[in-house]
């Protein structure tokens, strides 16, 4: 090894190879570079590879001009990105084709610089390096000798090169022995590069190609190379917006153009390439992942340019939004540890040709979109929502592509043999079906039938209104200044980008209405930015078509959307708007003029893009607006500017160090530093800030919502890596704080709504979105600083390790932790569930519907949140310090004690609200339930002889009748998830000598979530006692912890009595309510039902509770009928039902005696009598009060209650059975009651099956 390093060191002293330019305020205002190399082996490279396959460390040989005051040159970053894998050697047997690629450097303030590099090979002339390479081969072959146990390998020594092909065993050694100093010529890679502030990819490619051609062609170029470089650096200006510019390369003209301020921003990469490599379907899935800020890893082998083209194309299609997170389209080999970043990123990884996907160890894959560009394959995270109108969108993009002769499926054949393709396509189909990517719709089916593509091309082309022939002929009339390929590229780019931009203008046509402008001045708004709500998400979503919600609710939570709205608020005036915002707003205004939309109109009508204008670019490319100065001889010393053919020389730095003193362009195009100052001035004027505040504001604006956009490429010392990781830890903590706060505001806001304050919010979809993003955050935290990755979910992997070590340690059964902290109201009748992290894991492991580790981790988080144990469980998990040390590196978030404590503290705040995020999502799983019937303590059921039964109903299902053993009065059973529980039907069979039973309540507990419901009764069941009922319908509510008052205050009321109900009734004896209180009670009950229907469907609580629960509609009407009711005998109870039956008898007899009444009256009477008869003849023994409840429920359902009240108020029976002061005898009170009940008419009330069982109406 020492010898190896010595030989590498010899090489490093001998040579260096790489060149660059930075170009000032003109077209290329950053340096030109010659990228040199010095030859040290890159760390981590595989010594088993033959020396020619290894890569060495490169370095910059020269850059011109040597310093640009406003654009400091980052030597390490540029060297790394020009040769991301480092420097490589070849022999004459290998391919020497020059390779072009571009890259991007993102500065800390978010500004970007583009680099364009051409890498080629030059012959190594240094004997020292050649002999060092030979030495490396000798050593390598000696090491490999032991590996190949084949007779005859002795002969295969470097000296006997002639025998290389003699025998199979020798040919096996050939790959280790492909350099012989006496026979082979050694070549080394070299790179020339342009750095520019704007991405003129085509122009830069041509400039570099022509410079390379100048040194490789047998004839020297007309002028020294310095003249051309000087010209590009100092004499070629940036074309003004909407104009084109021609300048001279070494052998031919180069044209570049810029879009006008009304067009989409500059984009100069071939989008066609991305669609050919991936196909429309995959591009749209990748686009969706990027919009939702999911981690994206692009993977490709042949060249770096593929990575850059796909990354730049995807981010360009996001217009008007911009990627806000880590963006490294080409990740250098020395920065692979950056894949550990626990933040959203878009990175490109160049494969070395040996790693396939299975060998690629990625730190975290729970929320990763992996794109294998070469194999036309994309791996998506679970639960990815569909992009709105996906099928129609694919159809529209496909039509555009086909008009340019690009197959919507992509050109899979660009890299693979047919057999491999077939395998990939079928694997693709399987994974696409699994991810819900493939449509079964005929609309999309042509994407799957390649052979019909060409046949349908003409028809589709006609439909899109593009004629290929017409285009061809019109192009002939005007002389194109660029080749037809380039024009086609620009046209396709424009058409595809317009189709994508049109989707956003349609989706966000009304977005400005929902932007919340800050009431305070901008400075205080900016300092409280995190706490401010700047977009009314709930109202916006309630305007959207239902199918859009899964995607939009997640998209509105992204950083890119927040930044977009921030810039809308900051640049309120038109002159100051950023270019993208101005262009987007202009399009939105145009759409609003064309179709005046009603804000409340929820339509998912797909509207195609109609405003594609390609004429502007055709005009710019046919009629050139500006021509730059031609290259000319420079004032150089005699003998300068000569070079050896085939070798790119070092240029004369003195002539390239500064530009001409007088230049007609210099006045027009101020250098970037002035432009930057001008922008700062604009900011300051806008906000009226002094200088210090201005600096702070601009810095914050740049860092808004983001910590790191690109790894530091310059200095990879351990301290810098540690600092980067520290930034990640801080970022994760901040994100955790913001997420928990956002989720709590959402929940608490909802509670405020239910109590009658604020506006209704659409939180069903949103709650799922927020919990999904919390799961994603937990996965990122758990995957930060992992020692060894196991499985796709880092969190689940940690839990499994914990479970394993815990079960080894505990011989006792798991789950005997401390008893659960909440004492239920039922006292010891329902012992609380034990708190056990392991038991909760087992529940998840037993759910067969959840197949993946990521799914299990998410389910476990949901369950822990519903049980209010998330913080406690995670604290317990992390309390095993030995395990955490074993699994995580020192810098990992989970080993930063202070941050970890704060993180757990933030999660603890979730205990303030009730989530049903597990129950509502896993609706088909089997759940154990435990039921306990609690008889009255005073009149205990010890003598009770009958056989009791129960039937439990929830929002999702009901159990059917379950017999309960009369000796224990409790039962445990398993059934499919019932959802939140609503009612319990309970009764007995009236058998035995003593069949009278006074029941206090029924308790039911969900065995997985631990939710306990209490169903109060307090009535007798039995013939001849109370109202003679043998069964009752009990309405329940969730039992919440009553240990702390704080819990009470922030308890959500999804299972509580109707919102805002008058708690003061509790203190008043029911018999003594006056008419005012009764009216208020009815009003509150009706109000509760009205509010229920004004909520989004997914957010409504239990309607049964509002009808039959405490202070519900049945209770309120009971008070109406009991007011002023005469009690004939002292000891005999008279029930409302007795009065109603007498009224029924009267109406029926009146009908028979044909007393003339109008038709309406007769219809109402018939309805009333029919319902009374149906309820009286029901086979159920529900008793008189149960029958009254049923009548009220059916009357509410069929909107008949107000008619019946009117009938009964005028009925002579009322006069007999009520005092004169009774509410029913007061006409004005009865009329106001009727008006209140009429408000129920607009609602479609659906009754729970348990309420109307046995009634056939």
């Amino acid at each position: 090894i020492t010898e190896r390093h010595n030989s590498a060191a010899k090489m490093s002293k001998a040579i260096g190879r790489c060149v660059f330019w930075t170009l000032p305020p003109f077209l290329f205002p950053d340096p030109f570079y010659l990228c040199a190399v010095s030859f040290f082996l890159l760390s981590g490279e595989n010594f088993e590879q033959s020396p020619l396959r290894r890569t060495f460390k490169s370095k910059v040989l020269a850059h011109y001009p040597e310093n640009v005051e406003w654009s400091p040159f980052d030597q390490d970053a540029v060297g790394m990105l020009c040769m991301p894998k480092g420097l490589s050697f070849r022999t004459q047997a290998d391919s020497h084709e020059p390779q072009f690629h571009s890259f991007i450097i993102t500065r800390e303030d978010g500004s970007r610089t583009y680099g364009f590099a051409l890498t080629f090979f030059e012959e190594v002339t240094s004997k020292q390096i050649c002999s060092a390479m030979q030495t490396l081969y000798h050593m390598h072959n000696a090491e490999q000798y032991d590996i190949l146990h084949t007779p005859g390998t002795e002969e295969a020594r470097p000296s006997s090169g002639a025998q290389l092909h003699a025998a199979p065993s020798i040919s096996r050694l050939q790959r280790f022995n492909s350099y012989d100093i006496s026979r082979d010529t050694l070549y080394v890679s070299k790179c020339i590069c342009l750095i520019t502030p704007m991405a003129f990819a085509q122009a830069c490619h041509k400039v570099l190609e022509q410079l390379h051609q100048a040194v490789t062609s047998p004839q020297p170029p007309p002028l020294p190379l310095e003249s051309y470089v000087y010209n590009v650096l100092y004499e070629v200006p940036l074309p003004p917006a909407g104009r084109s510019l021609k300048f001279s390369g070494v052998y031919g003209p180069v044209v570049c153009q810029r879009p006008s301020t009304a067009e989409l921003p500059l984009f100069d990469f071939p989008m066609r390439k991305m669609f050919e490599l991936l196909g429309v379907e995959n591009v749209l899935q990748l686009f969706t992942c990027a919009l939702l800020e999911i981690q994206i890893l692009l993977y490709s082998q042949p060249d770096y340019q593929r990575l850059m083209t796909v990354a730049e194309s995807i981010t360009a299609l996001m217009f008007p939004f911009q990627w806000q997170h880590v963006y490294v389209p080409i990740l250098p080999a020395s920065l692979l540890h950056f894949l550990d970043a626990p933040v959203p990123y878009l990175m490109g990884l160049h494969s070395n040709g040996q790693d396939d996907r299975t060998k690629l160890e990625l730190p975290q894959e729970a929320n990763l979109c992996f794109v294998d560009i070469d194999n036309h394959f994309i791996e998506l995270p679970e639960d990815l929502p569909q992009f709105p109108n996906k099928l129609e969108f694919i159809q529209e993009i496909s039509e555009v592509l086909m008009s340019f002769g690009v197959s919507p499926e992509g050109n899979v054949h660009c890299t693979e043999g047919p057999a491999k393709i077939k395998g990939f396509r079928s694997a693709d189909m399987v994974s696409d079906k699994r991810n819900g990517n493939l449509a079964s719709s005929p609309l999309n089916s042509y994407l799957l039938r390649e052979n019909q593509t060409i046949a349908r091309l003409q028809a589709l082309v006609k439909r899109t209104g593009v004629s290929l022939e017409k285009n061809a002929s019109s192009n002939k009339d005007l002389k194109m200044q660029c080749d037809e390929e380039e024009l086609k590229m620009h046209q396709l780019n424009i058409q595809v980008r317009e189709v994508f931009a049109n989707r956003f203008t349609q989706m966000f046509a009304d977005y400005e209405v929902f932007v919340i402008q800050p009431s305070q001045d901008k400075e205080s708004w900016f300092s409280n930015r995190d706490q401010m709500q700047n977009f009314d998400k709930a109202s916006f979503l309630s305007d959207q078509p239902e199918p859009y919600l899964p995607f939009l609710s997640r998209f509105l939570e992204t950083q890119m959307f927040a930044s977009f709205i921030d810039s809308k608020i900051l640049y309120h005036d038109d002159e100051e708007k950023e270019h993208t915002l101005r262009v987007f707003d202009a399009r939105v205004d145009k759409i609003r003029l064309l179709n005046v939309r009603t804000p409340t109109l929820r339509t998912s009508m797909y509207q195609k893009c109609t405003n594609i204008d390609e004429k502007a670019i055709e005009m710019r490319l046919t009629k050139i607006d500006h021509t730059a100065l031609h290259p000319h001889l420079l004032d150089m010393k005699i003998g300068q500017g000569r070079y050896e053919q085939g070798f790119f020389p070092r240029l004369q730095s003195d002539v390239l160090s500064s530009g001409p003193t007088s230049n007609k362009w210099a006045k027009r195009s101020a250098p970037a530093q002035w432009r930057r100052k001008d922008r700062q001035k604009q900011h300051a004027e806008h906000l009226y800030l002094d200088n210090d505040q201005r600096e702070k504001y601009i810095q914050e604006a740049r860092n808004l919502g983001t910590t790191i956009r690109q790894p530091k490429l310059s200095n990879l010392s351990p301290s810098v890596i540690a600092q980067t990781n520290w930034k990640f830890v801080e970022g994760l903590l901040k994100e955790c704080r913001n997420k928990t706060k956002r989720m709590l505001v959402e929940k608490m806001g909802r509670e405020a709504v239910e109590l009658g304050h604020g506006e209704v919010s659409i939180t069903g979809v949103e709650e799922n979105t927020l919990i999904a993003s919390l799961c994603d955050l937990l996965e990122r935290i758990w995957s930060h600083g992992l020692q060894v990755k196991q499985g796709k979910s880092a969190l689940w992997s940690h839990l499994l390790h914990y479970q394993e070590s815990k079960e080894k340690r505990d011989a006792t059964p798991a789950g005997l932790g401390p008893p659960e902290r909440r004492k239920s109201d039922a006292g010891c009748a329902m012992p609380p569930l034990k708190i056990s992290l392991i038991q909760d894991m087992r529940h998840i492991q037993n759910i067969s519907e959840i197949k993946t580790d990521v799914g299990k981790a998410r389910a476990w988080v949901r369950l822990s949140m519903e049980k209010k144990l998330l913080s406690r469980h995670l604290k317990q998990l992390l309390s095993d310090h030995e395990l955490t040390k074993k699994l995580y590196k020192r810098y990992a978030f989970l080993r930063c004690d202070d941050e970890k404590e704060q993180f757990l503290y933030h999660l603890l705040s979730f205990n303030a609200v009730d989530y049903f995020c597990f129950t509502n999502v896993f609706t088909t799983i089997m759940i154990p339930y435990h039921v306990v019937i609690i008889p009255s303590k005073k009149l205990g059921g010890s003598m009770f002889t009958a056989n009791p039964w129960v039937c439990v109903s929830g929002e999702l299902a009901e159990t059917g009748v379950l017999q309960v053993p009369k000796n224990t009065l409790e039962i445990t059973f398993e059934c499919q998830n019932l959802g939140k529980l609503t009612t319990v039907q309970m009764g007995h069979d009236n058998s035995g000598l003593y069949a009278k039973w006074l029941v206090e309540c029924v308790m039911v507990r969900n065995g997985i979530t631990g939710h306990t419901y209490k169903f109060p009764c307090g009535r007798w069941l039995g013939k001849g006692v109370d109202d003679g009922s043998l069964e009752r319908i009990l309405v329940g509510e969730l039992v919440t912890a009553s240990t702390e008052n704080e819990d009470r205050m922030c308890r959500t009321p999804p299972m509580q009595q109707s919102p805002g109900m008058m708690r003061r009734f509790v203190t008043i004896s029911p018999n003594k309510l006056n008419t005012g209180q009764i009216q208020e009670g009815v009003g509150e009950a009706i109000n509760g039902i009205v509010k229920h229907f004004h909520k989004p469907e997914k957010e409504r609580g239990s309607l049964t509770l509002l009808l039959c629960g405490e202070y519900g509609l049945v209770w309120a009407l009971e008070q109406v009928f009991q007011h002023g009711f005469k009690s004939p005998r002292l000891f005999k109870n008279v029930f409302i039902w007795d009065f109603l039956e007498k009224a029924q008898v009267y109406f029926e007899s009146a009908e028979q005696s044909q007393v003339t009444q109008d038709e309406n009256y007769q219809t109402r009477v018939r309805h009333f009598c029919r319902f009374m008869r149906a309820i009286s003849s029901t086979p159920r023994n529900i008793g008189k009060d149960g029958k009254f409840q049923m009548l009220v429920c059916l009357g509410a359902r069929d909107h008949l209650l107000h008619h019946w009240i009117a009938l009964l108020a005028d009925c002579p029976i009322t006069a007999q059975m009520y005092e004169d002061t009774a509410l029913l005898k007061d006409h004005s009170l009865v009329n106001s009651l009727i008006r209140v009940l009429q408000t129920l008419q607009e609602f479609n009330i659906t009754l729970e099956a348990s309420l109307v069982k046995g009634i056939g109406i």
Side-chain angles (χ1 to χ4, degrees), residues 1061-1085 1110-1125 1136 1218-1219 1221-1224 1229:
M1061 196 46 80
M1062 292 186 294
R1063 306 288 184 263
R1064 61 180 170 281
F1065 283 154
V1066 180
T1067 59
I1068 303 168
S1069 159
N1071 305 333
K1072 294 181 184 167
L1073 290 184
N1074 61 39
T1075 51
Q1077 289 169 329
I1078 291 170
Q1079 278 184 296
E1080 198 175 333
V1082 175
E1084 290 281 6
E1110 197 180 5
Y1111 310 126
L1113 183 62
V1114 173
W1115 173 86
L1117 290 178
E1118 216 167 72
Q1119 306 309 311
V1120 169
F1121 283 104
Q1122 279 178 354
H1123 188 259
F1125 200 41
I1136 299 170
Y1218 282 87
E1219 314 266 354
T1221 55
L1223 189 149
L1224 278 178
L1229 291 179

Side-chain angles (χ1 to χ4, degrees), residues 792-1075:
K792 282 202 171 183
S793 165
L795 174 57
W796 190 248
S797 167
H798 192 168
L799 284 165
L800 289 173
H801 277 106
Y802 179 79
Q803 186 181 24
E804 192 184 324
S805 67
K806 188 97 172 122
E807 283 171 356
K808 274 182 195 164
R809 267 181 279 159
D810 300 352
T812 52
L816 297 180
E820 186 166 307
R821 66 206 182 294
R822 51 190 112 152
K823 287 275 181 280
S824 70
D825 290 1
C828 57
M830 176 85 61
L833 278 181
K834 300 284 192 294
I835 291 180
S836 164
L837 165 58
I838 303 291
Q839 192 54 48
D840 286 350
M841 282 186 69
R842 290 211 187 103
H843 286 313
I844 302 300
Q845 285 161 327
N846 293 337
I847 299 174
S848 56
E849 287 92 333
I850 307 173
K851 305 279 189 259
T852 64
D853 283 359
V854 175
K856 284 173 184 165
R858 286 182 180 172
W860 181 84
V861 170
R862 283 175 177 276
L863 177 59
S864 303
M865 282 194 71
E866 187 160 326
K867 294 178 85 164
K868 303 191 178 184
L869 294 174
L870 183 61
S871 179
R872 184 167 176 160
H873 277 349
L874 292 178
K875 188 173 187 171
Q876 190 181 337
L877 176 67
L878 297 171
S879 63
D880 187 339
H881 299 299
E882 286 310 307
L883 179 62
T884 313
K885 270 184 189 166
K886 191 175 102 183
L887 296 177
Y888 289 91
K889 295 171 184 156
R890 182 65 200 90
Y891 65 75
F893 181 95
L894 296 177
R895 289 186 64 186
C896 301
D897 292 337
D898 288 354
E899 282 65 28
K900 185 174 74 183
E901 283 303 312
Q902 287 183 56
F903 156 71
L904 293 170
Y905 174 74
H906 289 312
L907 293 185
L908 192 59
S909 58
F910 287 135
N911 293 2
V913 291
D914 292 336
Y915 279 99
F916 287 90
C917 49
F918 181 82
T919 306
N920 290 343
V921 168
F922 299 101
T923 51
T924 56
I925 63 173
M926 299 301 283
I927 291 183
Y929 290 92
H930 185 61
V931 178
V932 179
I933 299 172
I934 301 169
S936 165
K937 292 187 182 78
K938 293 174 196 152
L939 301 155
S942 52
M943 301 185 299
F944 178 58
T945 55
N947 299 301
W949 57 266
V950 291
C951 170
V952 184
S953 305
E955 288 181 355
L956 300 174
E958 76 168 33
T959 59
V961 171
L962 302 163
Q963 296 300 328
V964 182
K966 60 183 168 203
N967 51 348
T968 59
L969 293 183
E970 53 184 278
I971 174 178
T972 300
F973 60 91
E974 193 174 58
C975 69
Q976 191 169 315
N977 186 354
L978 300 172
K980 294 180 200 168
L981 302 188
T982 50
T983 61
V984 164
Q985 299 156 63
M986 178 192 64
H988 61 77
D989 62 359
N990 199 32
S991 62
L993 291 170
Y994 189 77
K996 297 182 172 77
W997 196 26
L998 179 58
V999 176
E1000 193 176 297
C1001 65
V1002 177
M1003 307 292 296
V1004 184
R1005 186 179 63 208
N1006 177 321
I1008 291 183
T1009 65
H1011 282 322
T1012 304
Y1013 295 83
K1014 183 179 182 179
F1015 296 85
C1017 177
R1019 302 285 295 268
W1020 284 90
L1021 286 93
K1023 290 284 183 199
V1025 63
D1026 203 330
D1027 65 345
S1029 170
L1030 290 185
E1031 69 174 88
R1032 293 196 182 277
I1033 300 164
L1034 309 178
V1035 180
E1037 58 175 320
L1038 189 64
V1039 175
T1040 49
S1042 53
T1043 46
E1044 295 167 23
N1045 287 336
E1046 293 90 309
D1047 276 14
R1048 269 277 179 226
M1049 285 165 62
C1050 40
R1051 160 186 175 189
T1052 40
M1055 295 298 302
Q1056 241 172 283
Q1057 46 273 28
S1058 56
M1061 196 46 80
M1062 292 186 294
R1063 306 288 184 263
R1064 61 180 170 281
F1065 283 154
V1066 180
T1067 59
I1068 303 168
S1069 159
N1071 305 333
K1072 294 181 184 167
L1073 290 184
N1074 61 39
T1075 51

Side-chain angles (χ1 to χ4, degrees), residues 1132-1143 1184 1217:
K1132 183 175 181 243
N1133 268 342
V1134 180
F1135 293 91
I1136 299 170
W1137 188 254
D1138 298 329
F1139 158 68
L1140 295 172
E1141 279 182 325
K1142 285 186 179 174
K1184 293 178 178 178
M1217 296 187 70

